[in-house]
Amino acid sequence: MSASVTEALAGIVGAKNVVTDADAMVPYLKEPRGLFNGKAQAVVRPGSVAEVSALMKWASETGATIVPQGGNTGMVGGQVPVADGREIILSLQRLDKVRSVDVEGDTMTVEAGVILQKAQEAAEAAGRLFPLSLASEGSCTVGGNLSANAGGTAVIAYGNARELCLGLEVVLPDGRVWNGLRQLRKDNTGYDLKNLFIGSEGTLGIITAAVLKLFPLPAARATAFLAVPDPEAALALLNKAKASAGGTLTTFELMPRIGLDFVVRHADGARDPLSEPSPWYVLMEVCAQAETGLSEAVENFLGEAMEAGLVTDAVLAGSLGQRADLWKLREMLSEVQTHEGGSIKHDVSVPLHATPEFLRRAIAKVEELVPGCRPVPFGHLGDGNIHFNVSQPVGADKAAYLAGWDAMNAAVHAIVTELKGSISAEHGIGRLKRSLLPGVKDPVELDLMRTVKAALDPKGVLNPGAVL
């Protein structure tokens, strides 16, 4: 990077917040799965909205290209630069203030670099709940969550990140700042602009702050780990739980036996909570505002489910420690797969009624494609989002197996498309799935997306090559 560029950036954010040392930049240049490793001229770390605005104004005037980055936990490469080294990473981690918590209005205004777990804790300290929950919540940021429209384990009750946001503050590609930090539940004064930026993966503007919805803290939780015979039974159990628990059903996660085996094998302290193995399992959680009666109601529900043959065995957490142990079985599923060699991944969703058919067909297809491969489908059955991961055959060459990524993706995505699903349920498009969009998007829809990009970022300053 030229001395003049370094001087210009330092003049905006201060010299210590312009990172050009190769070793110091490494954590910003690769995503968690190692699929994308980029290069950059520098990493800049603004500490205010004014500095973000000045950086974008400078980029627009000079032709520099900017890649916004939060906690760098994204799974599709949208937060890392390309390999030619032209781009500048704009890290939002220093914008980490909780600006306000409005208990009466059930809202919280936070900056984009606030770690999700910190946002949860700030809400809880005020006697409220911010329900967005992800495995990466200890490192992902609110801005990144909104940019990717993150989902997580509580979507069935509270919705995606989009549903949890009332207003945004956004720096546009030319440096202008849109202050849309409204706390209103109803506002029909024209286009809802915030929804252009939520889910846009940093290609239309840089989210610098957000107004988030809060909810009453549950007075009681009941967490159960259930053995079910098959996905059809799990879906029937979900419908029965929704009819019984209504909006208090907050989690309904599906996982296969092989996933539990991986967790028990590789995660410290993890154990099978049930006495006999089952082909499939469900982690279910129900919350209530009343302090008493919830466990008894869930026990009665599970008794009825067992009589109906939907559940073959069950354990209900009797303490916070037991609840943590049950959640660990779900939260460690992604991490432990790394110990089993290469894993080809799919983040897909289908209509709820089609979930069992998708699983049946996709498992058969990948086993036909790669004999001996080990499908590990798991995820958010409550909203139809399945992480259809496929571990390599035991003893296979990892590189040779991963070379078949595109072919396996094509086979699985063909089934998803036939069932009128989505090839990206919650991780986004980024760079990983960019080339797949023309095959799954309506041509008019894709043209509208390009029109929006051209209108807001005509010079292509923001995150070039991501999404479109």
Side-chain angles (χ1 to χ4, degrees):
M1 188 168 65
S2 69
S4 61
V5 171
T6 304
E7 184 178 347
L9 295 176
I12 296 171
V13 300
K16 68 178 181 179
N17 291 308
V18 180
V19 181
T20 57
D21 178 75
D23 291 337
M25 283 198 289
V26 167
Y28 300 90
L29 300 177
K30 58 182 181 180
E31 52 85 55
R33 297 199 298 225
L35 297 177
F36 295 90
N37 292 276
K39 295 180 181 179
Q41 292 192 62
V43 176
V44 293
R45 305 185 307 123
S48 68
V49 178
E51 289 182 358
V52 177
S53 173
L55 283 166
M56 294 311 303
K57 186 175 186 295
W58 169 84
S60 179
E61 292 172 349
T62 61
T65 49
I66 303 292
V67 177
Q69 188 179 103
N72 194 19
T73 60
M75 306 298 280
V76 290
Q79 77 281 14
V80 295
V82 296
D84 65 10
R86 293 179 297 108
E87 296 169 339
I88 294 170
I89 296 174
L90 193 158
S91 171
L92 291 153
Q93 291 179 331
R94 290 182 62 220
L95 273 71
D96 62 352
K97 297 180 181 63
V98 176
R99 293 185 183 175
S100 65
V101 179
D102 180 358
V103 175
E104 292 182 345
D106 279 330
T107 67
M108 175 170 63
T109 303
V110 305
E111 294 182 341
V114 171
I115 300 296
L116 175 56
Q117 185 175 338
K118 180 180 175 181
Q120 295 167 341
E121 291 169 350
E124 187 170 355
R128 292 294 184 265
L129 171 73
F130 181 59
L132 185 65
S133 182
L134 315 170
S136 60
E137 60 194 31
S139 53
C140 65
T141 61
V142 170
N145 297 150
L146 291 166
S147 293
N149 189 27
T153 56
V155 170
I156 186 173
Y158 299 103
N160 290 336
R162 185 184 305 280
E163 283 74 45
L164 296 171
C165 180
L166 290 173
L168 290 179
E169 177 184 79
V170 179
V171 176
L172 299 175
D174 60 7
R176 288 180 296 161
V177 179
W178 170 52
N179 186 347
L181 291 175
R182 302 184 183 97
Q183 297 174 291
L184 303 175
R185 306 282 171 156
K186 289 184 175 181
D187 180 5
N188 279 338
T189 54
Y191 305 133
D192 189 353
L193 294 178
K194 73 177 183 296
N195 281 317
L196 277 177
F197 300 101
I198 298 174
S200 69
E201 303 182 51
T203 62
L204 302 179
I206 299 177
I207 295 172
T208 51
V211 178
L212 306 175
K213 293 180 184 177
L214 301 181
F215 299 84
L217 273 173
R221 285 188 175 95
T223 307
F225 192 79
L226 315 173
V228 296
D230 49 46
E232 287 82 1
L235 182 59
L237 182 67
L238 170 63
N239 290 327
K240 183 177 178 66
K242 288 193 292 186
S244 175
T248 63
L249 177 67
T250 57
T251 299
F252 202 93
E253 298 286 300
L254 181 70
M255 60 187 289
R257 177 67 207 185
I258 189 172
L260 180 60
D261 286 340
F262 284 2
V263 174
V264 172
R265 187 180 304 159
H266 300 294
D268 290 341
R271 64 178 185 84
D272 187 341
L274 302 176
S275 58
E276 297 293 333
S278 172
W280 293 88
Y281 300 92
V282 165
L283 176 68
M284 184 179 80
E285 188 160 274
V286 181
C287 296
Q289 296 310 117
E291 294 184 3
T292 60
L294 180 61
S295 293
E296 292 78 3
V298 172
E299 287 175 359
N300 292 336
F301 168 80
L302 294 179
E304 295 173 1
M306 294 181 80
E307 288 181 7
L310 302 179
V311 174
T312 57
D313 199 1
V315 61
L316 188 62
S319 67
L320 290 177
Q322 290 176 6
R323 176 179 181 264
D325 289 342
L326 296 181
W327 267 101
K328 184 176 185 177
L329 300 176
R330 167 61 183 88
E331 291 172 341
M332 293 298 293
L333 265 173
S334 294
E335 181 178 327
V336 297
Q337 289 174 56
T338 61
H339 300 287
E340 295 289 332
S343 176
I344 298 176
K345 303 179 186 297
H346 312 79
D347 165 45
V348 301
S349 63
V350 295
L352 282 180
H353 69 84
T355 306
E357 180 183 353
F358 163 71
L359 289 167
R360 182 173 61 253
R361 291 175 57 185
I363 289 171
K365 188 63 180 178
V366 298
E367 290 177 340
E368 173 191 341
L369 194 64
V370 183
C373 71
R374 296 170 292 167
V376 191
F378 68 97
H380 321 302
L381 184 62
D383 53 59
N385 175 197
I386 300 296
H387 299 296
F388 192 83
N389 296 352
V390 187
S391 288
Q392 69 178 57
V394 175
D397 180 79
K398 179 178 178 179
Y401 173 70
L402 292 179
W405 187 295
D406 290 345
M408 186 175 288
N409 275 182
V412 172
H413 291 160
I415 298 171
V416 170
T417 301
E418 187 178 330
L419 295 174
K420 302 188 185 307
S422 170
I423 64 166
S424 181
E426 64 177 359
H427 290 165
I429 296 299
R431 305 185 194 282
L432 180 65
K433 297 184 178 182
R434 180 187 61 197
S435 63
L436 302 179
L437 271 189
V440 298
K441 281 288 188 186
D442 179 281
V444 173
E445 188 175 8
L446 199 56
D447 187 55
L448 288 172
M449 290 173 63
R450 293 191 180 106
T451 300
V452 171
K453 172 68 172 174
L456 292 180
D457 187 16
K459 296 182 179 180
V461 170
L462 271 177
N463 220 1
V467 183
L468 295 171

